[in-house]
Amino acid sequence: MTPFVSKNPREAFLNYRDLDLGINHQGLNSYVEGQKYGIKYFNGNFNRLVKIKTMVDPYNFFRNEQSIPTLPHH
C-alpha cells in the first residue's frame, strides 16, 4: 500500500483503519484522541459526526480503536 498512501498532509481512506494515524483509548480524553485521526478521515464533517454520535450513542457502546468519539460528559 505504500505507493498509494499520501504523505503530506497524511490522509486516510474510509473502511481502512490506519492505526498509525492514532487510536482512541476511550478514556477521559477520547474526544481529543479522536480528533487526531477523525479529521483525517472525515475532514470538515468530523464535528458534525461527533454531535450525531453523541445524540445516538451517548455512552459510546458502538466503538473501535478509530470510531467517532462522543462529546465529553459534564
Side-chain angles (χ1 to χ4, degrees), residues 13-27:
F13 298 98
L14 190 60
N15 295 326
Y16 174 76
R17 286 191 285 177
D18 185 352
L19 299 181
D20 292 338
L21 295 177
I23 62 169
N24 197 329
H25 296 94
Q26 310 302 333

Side-chain angles (χ1 to χ4, degrees), residues 15 68 73:
N15 295 326
I68 296 171
H73 296 8

Side-chain angles (χ1 to χ4, degrees), residues 24-35 37 60 69-70 72:
N24 197 329
H25 296 94
Q26 310 302 333
L28 295 175
N29 295 321
S30 67
Y31 177 75
V32 174
E33 289 180 345
Q35 278 183 315
Y37 60 82
N60 203 18
T70 56

Side-chain angles (χ1 to χ4, degrees), residues 1-53:
M1 293 288 304
T2 302
F4 304 105
V5 176
S6 60
K7 291 186 171 61
N8 194 6
R10 182 129 185 230
E11 296 177 341
F13 298 98
L14 190 60
N15 295 326
Y16 174 76
R17 286 191 285 177
D18 185 352
L19 299 181
D20 292 338
L21 295 177
I23 62 169
N24 197 329
H25 296 94
Q26 310 302 333
L28 295 175
N29 295 321
S30 67
Y31 177 75
V32 174
E33 289 180 345
Q35 278 183 315
K36 294 175 186 172
Y37 60 82
I39 292 172
K40 293 175 183 176
Y41 278 111
F42 305 108
N43 293 321
N45 293 317
F46 175 71
N47 287 320
R48 181 178 60 86
L49 293 169
V50 168
K51 289 177 186 175
I52 293 168
K53 170 79 181 250

